[in-house]
Amino acid sequence: MKTSEKTHELKIWHLSHLQILADRAMQDLDYLANVCHLSEITKHSVIYLPGDPAETVYFLKQGRVRISRLSEEGKQITLLVLEAGSLFGEVAVLDDQARHESIAETMENTLLCHTSKQNFEQFLQRNPDLSLKIAKMMGKRLRQVENRLEDVAFLPVEARLYKLLGHLASEYGQPTEAGTRIQLRLTHQDLGQLIHATRQTVTELLNQFEASHLLSTERRQLVLHPQFFENKA
């Protein structure tokens, strides 16, 4: 098999494992694979910045991507952490003159499929039902961002961390004998950026939660004990 054929099949395989494209017909995946490019991006690389033209739609195959904004004080506030299987950059299809308002950067070595907004718009014409799925996804993300900014503005840091852990457990939790394991490897620095707090503060609070038997750490992942969900910070 030629290299180009192998690459094409690899792109189809990647696209078929994305959450939003899981139910697409093979001919649609083949069409999208023809107009997509695969890129390997190293850890801590910027994908786009505020003000950059929104001209590309991205499919995250491997790795994690942080979506953030800068506060008025110039501090970086993490809005979302996208896991493998996510689509982002979808603002490109909303407005011909759209520009990004946030920062997208890799948190680890990352594999992306990406295509131009024109190509993706043609793909949506072939799959009109997908537009509704994307609209719902965008609405959910907007609510998450609004809630996170509201929490930063009005909740004390302990309550912000408690609420974040509960959200992560609902989104990425796996039941175990000890409790609910959060199936993400987030550093204390990562958690701090999600709640607009320092790494040291997050470490101190997690130690307090662990001393109160609300959670524990196993294989670098947090496990929330049943009593975590019975209490409020």
Side-chain angles (χ1 to χ4, degrees):
M1 185 181 293
K2 295 180 180 179
T3 302
S4 59
E5 294 176 348
K6 289 183 179 179
T7 301
H8 185 76
E9 289 192 0
L10 182 62
K11 286 190 286 186
I12 291 178
W13 187 88
H14 287 328
L15 292 169
S16 68
H17 283 74
L18 295 171
Q19 296 166 359
I20 203 164
L21 300 177
D23 59 349
R24 296 299 102 181
M26 182 55 66
Q27 60 264 32
D28 291 324
L29 294 175
D30 182 70
Y31 172 86
L32 190 56
N34 280 324
V35 297
C36 272
H37 303 278
L38 275 176
S39 295
E40 295 182 9
I41 305 177
T42 57
K43 182 178 180 180
H44 298 321
S45 295
V46 173
I47 300 171
Y48 56 74
L49 292 168
D52 286 350
E55 299 175 337
T56 305
V57 177
Y58 303 90
F59 306 94
L60 178 55
K61 169 51 192 167
Q62 180 181 309
R64 290 183 298 164
V65 170
R66 184 200 322 275
I67 306 296
S68 63
R69 288 183 184 173
L70 293 178
S71 68
E72 293 181 358
E73 298 80 19
K75 294 183 178 180
Q76 191 171 3
I77 301 176
T78 300
L79 305 176
L80 299 167
V81 173
L82 302 179
E83 298 292 318
S86 301
L87 175 149
F88 66 102
E90 70 282 354
V91 67
V93 302
L94 296 180
D95 184 349
D96 290 340
Q97 304 300 321
R99 291 183 177 273
H100 292 292
E101 298 180 353
S102 57
I103 303 166
E105 59 184 326
T106 58
M107 299 176 68
E108 54 194 47
N109 292 341
T110 296
L111 180 63
L112 289 177
C113 284
H114 52 94
T115 189
S116 70
K117 63 175 294 182
Q118 292 81 8
N119 287 333
F120 192 65
E121 286 171 347
Q122 292 176 13
F123 178 72
L124 290 180
Q125 291 175 6
R126 296 167 56 99
N127 296 267
D129 62 303
L130 194 59
S131 297
L132 180 58
K133 287 187 177 182
I134 292 175
K136 289 181 177 179
M137 179 197 72
M138 293 176 67
K140 180 180 179 181
R141 285 185 181 172
L142 180 60
R143 289 192 298 273
Q144 290 176 342
V145 169
E146 290 174 343
N147 290 339
R148 182 146 297 147
L149 293 176
E150 186 175 294
D151 290 348
V152 168
F154 298 110
L155 290 181
V157 64
E158 182 179 1
R160 297 203 298 269
L161 179 58
Y162 209 95
K163 184 175 180 180
L164 172 65
L165 294 178
H167 170 73
L168 293 176
S170 66
E171 290 286 326
Y172 307 104
Q174 180 184 47
T176 69
E177 291 185 3
T180 302
R181 182 193 303 276
I182 298 175
Q183 297 285 86
L184 292 176
R185 294 186 184 275
L186 294 173
T187 67
H188 293 187
Q189 181 71 26
D190 294 334
L191 292 172
Q193 290 182 331
L194 282 165
I195 62 171
H196 202 41
T198 65
R199 179 197 57 77
Q200 180 180 1
T201 297
V202 169
T203 299
E204 292 173 352
L205 288 172
L206 289 176
N207 288 339
Q208 291 176 23
F209 292 167
E210 187 164 7
S212 299
H213 306 292
L214 298 177
L215 56 78
S216 57
T217 303
E218 296 181 8
R219 297 195 297 272
R220 297 176 60 192
Q221 293 179 333
L222 292 173
V223 177
L224 306 188
H225 298 170
Q227 50 266 49
F228 179 94
F229 302 98
E230 299 168 2
N231 293 273
K232 292 184 178 179

